[in-house]
Amino acid sequence: MTRSVYVTGIDRGDGRQVIELGVMELLTRHVDRVGVFRPLVHDDGPDRLFDLLRARYRLTQPADTVHGIGYEEAAALQAERGTDELVSRLVDRFHAVARDYEYVLVLGSDYAATSLPDELNLNARLANEFGAAVLAVVGGQGQEAESVRAEAHNAYRAYHSLGCDVVAVVVNRVAPEHRAAVVERLAARLPVPCYALPEDGSLSAPTVAQIVHTLGAEVLLGDDSGLARDARDFVFGGAMLPTFLKALTPGCLVVTPGDRADLVIGSLAAHSAGAPPIAGVLLTLDERPGPDIMALAGRLAPGTPVVSVPGGSFPTAGELFAIEGKLNAASPRKAETALGLFERHVDTVELTNRISVARSGRVTPMMFEHELIERSRSGRRRVVLPEGSEERVLRAADVLLRRDVCALTLLGDEEAIRKRAADLAIDLADAQIIDPQTSALRERFAERYAALRAHKGVSVELAYDVVADVSYFGTLMVEEGLADGMVSGAVHSTAATIRPAFEIIKTRPNAQIVSSVFFMCLADRVLVYGDCAVNPDPDAEQLADIAIQSATTAAQFGVEPRIAMLSYSTGTSGSGADVDKVRKATELVRAQRPDLLVEGPIQYDAAVDAAVAQTKLPESDVAGKATVLIFPDLNTGNNTYKAVQRSAGAVAVGPVLQGLRKPVNDLSRGALVQDIVNTVAITAIQAQGERPGAGPAA
């Protein structure tokens, strides 16, 4: 039977989209096929939340199946034929969705400008008819703790008294200073869990793009990154420049008549200097600075929006203050902020159990990625990113910080990093930034490196120059316990990333070599490929070591290891030096780790295809079910992982280095932002087995 959860409220303005997004995140961690159903919908435009869910979670559900009935049609139907007819029609449409999915997220009505009588009662009845658990949401914006407690208690009683299975109550948009009191009071009064999420101004702040769209503004300067910035405040220009500059706040939108070129240039210069970074400039009265001023503005703060409206400052102000930020597919950073807020303040394990989400029998790429984020958050570690000014690294850092995945240290020139982050509208307030050139740690690291490399004749003076390199500095942070792991390689070569690790961190006592694996996320499972990135032609002993390390890594990340030692021949059907190497390596694995399931030599098709395995190795416990595939050499492994990645549409997560005493991981120089996020999460998880979390470096 399809399970479902009905997210509903008692009034408008509860910011329920944050909760709906958070619940979808929980569902997609455990369930392969999740459907969405919104019983009642406004007919005045696209469904922004569904568009966000479809884009973020790669939903294939046809858009025309998501919605039940428009509010106007529902009101007319209810008035003409009664509530039973309306409910019956919505139940039919719900079941049309439910039969195609394992779980359905139902989005309750929004209480906004509708003519339906007793909307709460209708939501309760629909939840009961759908057989859905109810997650009740209450808005706490602008209310004192006792008022919020009473609202939440009333919401629970209302839905419970109407026969609903209320699994939890969420109070959203609570004043941060009242949150603890709200949680404490509700815990004593409600028989179900109650979670309280604090108000986050960045969620309600409109983006510059939203302001442009709402006001019909003309964009004179700015790129997509600039238009995606949140306008967290509005500063209206009228004073002389020295006084005006003191009024600027981080993330503000400057609103000024277009003939005040001094305020335009002053604002952009302040942004360029990072004191403070602004969202952009909005020019009123249809006045625009001359071409020379605009050219200077473009050079001062490239990408920063300068937009123009015909109206004056006063009517423009009225329109601006009426705009509220919305979660939609065009604002992915807001989604990351919302999820971070949800995950920090909701017991996701408890809620998952309460809404009865059973894990699917297969693991999809998205489920694997979700698991990485969840596990890395559960035991917070510090990861150092040496390429601190690289745009993809900064965008990944933005996601990691918003989701509270781990603590971050960025290396590089602090002024350059902060300026680049400001241009990208990225808030690095929670990140640590260290410049190896000027850090007080440089001398200490030089002494440590000189001691480690004394046998190679490295002096402290020479080491002082070496450790200023970001890769060496980051590696020494890991070695000295000032960070738990390092991720690099977006702009540096693999050698530049792992050579310092070989010299400083070195291999584990039980590892012969450093090797690597890729997690290959196929449509219905996750396979582990090793070694596809480090060792060109391992001998039998090294190949056995790679297999054992890869099995350990697989188990660490929830993949049950069944090892296939790959070759061009299966069983005893072939001979030759290459086959003999694999055969010997298989015997070594069995001797060293008799607890592991291993088969070899075996061909790829016999390893993963049950039908082929039945023909070639019918008695094998691994053939047809292999999860860890060990390639005989780098040429075979690297080409195979890329062929599977490109031809089968697999998500390749890695390379993940194994065998080092502490985690250091390399990126492809073509790595996407999500690749960096995944690799950092993997590094944090690897570090969880090393030691308690490292504190900030000095």
Side-chain angles (χ1 to χ4, degrees):
M1 177 181 174
T2 300
R3 302 287 301 175
S4 56
V5 59
Y6 197 115
V7 183
T8 184
I10 59 174
D11 202 352
R12 64 182 305 178
D14 54 22
R16 200 183 317 154
Q17 297 88 351
V18 173
I19 316 306
E20 292 164 338
L21 179 65
V23 172
M24 177 59 89
E25 180 81 8
L26 291 186
L27 294 176
T28 54
R29 286 178 191 166
H30 297 84
V31 178
D32 178 20
R33 292 180 296 110
V34 181
V36 179
F37 184 64
R38 189 187 293 279
L40 299 166
V41 61
H42 294 283
D43 298 321
D44 56 356
D47 186 334
R48 289 188 300 265
L49 182 68
F50 177 69
D51 288 345
L52 170 61
L53 297 179
R54 179 167 53 185
R56 184 177 184 87
Y57 299 105
R58 307 164 202 162
L59 303 182
T60 57
Q61 181 180 354
D64 60 359
T65 68
V66 173
H67 301 143
I69 299 176
Y71 278 101
E72 291 185 8
E73 181 186 353
L77 181 64
Q78 188 177 34
E80 294 172 11
R81 305 183 63 178
T83 301
D84 287 350
E85 178 65 24
L86 170 62
V87 170
S88 176
R89 192 171 300 185
L90 290 173
V91 168
D92 288 344
R93 297 194 180 184
F94 167 77
H95 285 297
V97 173
R99 65 170 170 255
D100 293 327
Y101 298 93
E102 297 173 64
Y103 209 106
V104 178
L105 171 62
V106 185
L107 312 176
S109 68
D110 58 13
Y111 299 88
T114 68
S115 54
L116 288 170
D118 200 358
E119 211 163 321
L120 187 151
N121 189 75
L122 179 60
N123 279 300
R125 182 167 176 191
L126 289 175
N128 290 334
E129 297 289 353
F130 296 168
V134 167
L135 183 61
V137 182
V138 175
Q141 187 181 31
Q143 298 184 57
E144 297 294 323
E146 181 56 28
S147 175
V148 174
R149 182 208 64 76
E151 287 264 312
H153 188 259
N154 290 340
Y156 170 78
R157 287 177 54 190
Y159 282 104
H160 180 70
S161 67
L162 291 168
C164 295
D165 175 21
V166 183
V167 292
V169 175
V170 181
V171 182
N172 192 30
R173 306 187 73 178
V174 178
E177 64 270 21
H178 296 325
R179 182 186 169 277
V182 169
V183 172
E184 182 180 357
R185 295 181 190 188
L186 285 171
R189 296 293 300 273
L190 289 182
V192 298
C194 183
Y195 313 111
L197 278 61
E199 177 80 32
D200 187 320
S202 65
L203 288 176
S204 57
T207 63
V208 178
Q210 185 182 350
I211 291 170
V212 168
H213 174 75
T214 304
L215 271 59
E218 180 182 354
V219 179
L220 307 180
L221 293 174
D223 57 20
D224 289 343
S225 293
L227 291 168
R229 297 176 189 173
D230 293 330
R232 299 192 180 191
D233 191 11
F234 302 114
V235 175
F236 293 84
M240 298 301 291
L241 183 60
T243 303
F244 171 75
L245 290 177
K246 295 176 184 177
L248 295 179
T249 58
C252 69
L253 180 70
V254 171
V255 183
T256 180
D259 59 0
R260 290 296 303 272
D262 57 332
L263 301 188
V264 174
I265 295 301
S267 302
L268 296 175
H271 173 86
S272 181
I278 64 172
V281 178
L282 190 154
L283 307 177
T284 62
L285 299 174
D286 211 18
E287 292 281 346
R288 302 167 189 198
D292 292 344
I293 295 296
M294 293 301 294
L296 177 58
R299 290 195 298 271
L300 270 175
T304 298
V306 177
V307 304
S308 175
V309 294
S313 295
F314 185 76
T316 299
E319 292 183 86
L320 287 173
F321 286 118
I323 303 173
E324 187 171 2
K326 300 290 184 183
L327 290 176
N328 57 53
S331 57
R333 285 211 299 272
K334 285 189 186 294
E336 299 294 352
T337 299
L339 286 173
L341 197 68
F342 183 86
E343 291 163 343
R344 278 193 294 274
H345 299 290
V346 172
D347 185 334
T348 55
V349 174
E350 178 182 52
L351 183 57
T352 299
N353 292 332
R354 297 280 300 175
I355 61 178
S356 303
V357 182
R359 184 175 290 277
S360 295
R362 64 178 189 155
V363 179
T364 67
M366 184 171 296
M367 291 164 68
F368 182 74
E369 291 177 3
H370 288 336
E371 184 71 14
L372 292 180
I373 298 297
E374 182 66 14
R375 287 186 59 189
S376 57
R377 289 181 66 252
S378 67
R380 207 164 184 269
R381 294 294 184 263
R382 177 171 294 277
V383 177
V384 58
L385 305 176
E387 298 155 327
S389 58
E390 156 64 28
E391 179 175 338
R392 288 167 295 158
V393 171
L394 285 169
R395 292 192 183 278
D398 190 32
V399 174
L400 292 160
L401 292 170
R402 288 173 185 267
R403 297 291 300 277
D404 197 30
V405 172
C406 61
L408 290 179
T409 298
L410 303 177
L411 300 184
D413 179 85
E414 182 169 0
E415 183 178 346
I417 291 174
R418 293 201 181 278
K419 184 179 185 306
R420 186 65 178 131
D423 289 340
L424 297 171
I426 292 171
D427 183 1
L428 295 180
D430 293 329
Q432 180 186 42
I433 301 175
I434 297 178
D435 185 350
Q437 297 284 343
T438 60
S439 172
L441 293 168
R442 184 175 177 182
E443 188 170 336
R444 167 182 162 185
F445 285 178
E447 292 175 355
R448 176 65 172 152
Y449 182 72
L452 289 169
R453 304 294 290 173
H455 64 289
K456 293 291 187 179
V458 176
S459 65
V460 173
E461 291 75 16
L462 177 58
Y464 190 76
D465 291 333
V466 172
V467 302
D469 177 87
V470 290
S471 296
Y472 276 91
F473 193 94
T475 305
L476 280 157
M477 285 188 68
V478 177
E479 173 64 15
E480 291 290 280
L482 299 174
D484 296 299
M486 183 179 89
V487 173
S488 188
V491 293
H492 289 86
S493 67
T494 295
T497 298
I498 66 176
R499 185 186 299 115
F502 289 161
E503 294 179 0
I504 297 165
I505 293 176
K506 304 179 181 177
T507 58
R508 294 178 179 271
N510 61 347
Q512 288 189 33
I513 56 174
V514 173
S515 59
S516 73
V517 295
F518 280 90
F519 290 97
M520 301 299 295
C521 302
L522 304 174
D524 60 349
R525 54 188 151 169
V526 176
L527 300 178
V528 177
Y529 284 10
D531 172 11
C532 304
V534 178
N535 297 285
D537 189 18
D539 59 27
E541 288 75 15
Q542 292 171 329
L543 201 59
D545 190 60
I546 292 170
I548 291 170
Q549 289 186 47
S550 300
T552 301
T553 301
Q556 185 180 13
F557 288 91
V559 177
E560 182 183 351
R562 293 186 291 273
I563 308 169
M565 307 294 288
L566 298 175
S567 174
Y568 60 77
S569 124
T570 294
T572 58
S573 65
S575 61
D578 292 337
V579 178
D580 292 341
K581 178 179 79 168
V582 174
R583 184 174 290 115
K584 181 180 178 182
T586 305
E587 293 168 355
L588 288 170
V589 173
R590 288 179 175 141
Q592 295 172 32
R593 289 289 304 275
D595 58 307
L596 291 175
L597 293 176
V598 59
E599 188 66 68
I602 185 172
Q603 291 161 290
Y604 191 99
D605 58 348
V608 300
D609 189 309
V612 176
Q614 187 61 33
T615 301
K616 294 188 175 183
L617 285 174
E619 304 300 322
S620 174
D621 293 327
V622 173
K625 299 174 288 187
T627 57
V628 178
L629 296 108
I630 306 302
F631 295 91
D633 53 60
L634 184 60
N635 182 53
T636 307
N638 191 269
N639 278 294
T640 301
Y641 108 75
K642 288 182 177 176
V644 173
Q645 180 187 36
R646 302 297 178 183
S647 301
V651 176
V653 180
V656 178
L657 297 184
Q658 53 191 14
L660 289 167
R661 289 189 302 108
K662 297 183 179 183
V664 171
N665 282 310
D666 181 37
L667 297 166
S668 163
R669 274 172 278 184
L672 303 176
V673 171
Q674 189 59 46
D675 298 332
I676 300 172
V677 170
N678 289 339
T679 304
V680 171
I682 284 174
T683 305
I685 294 168
Q686 287 179 309
Q688 288 173 4
E690 301 295 328
R691 66 175 186 83

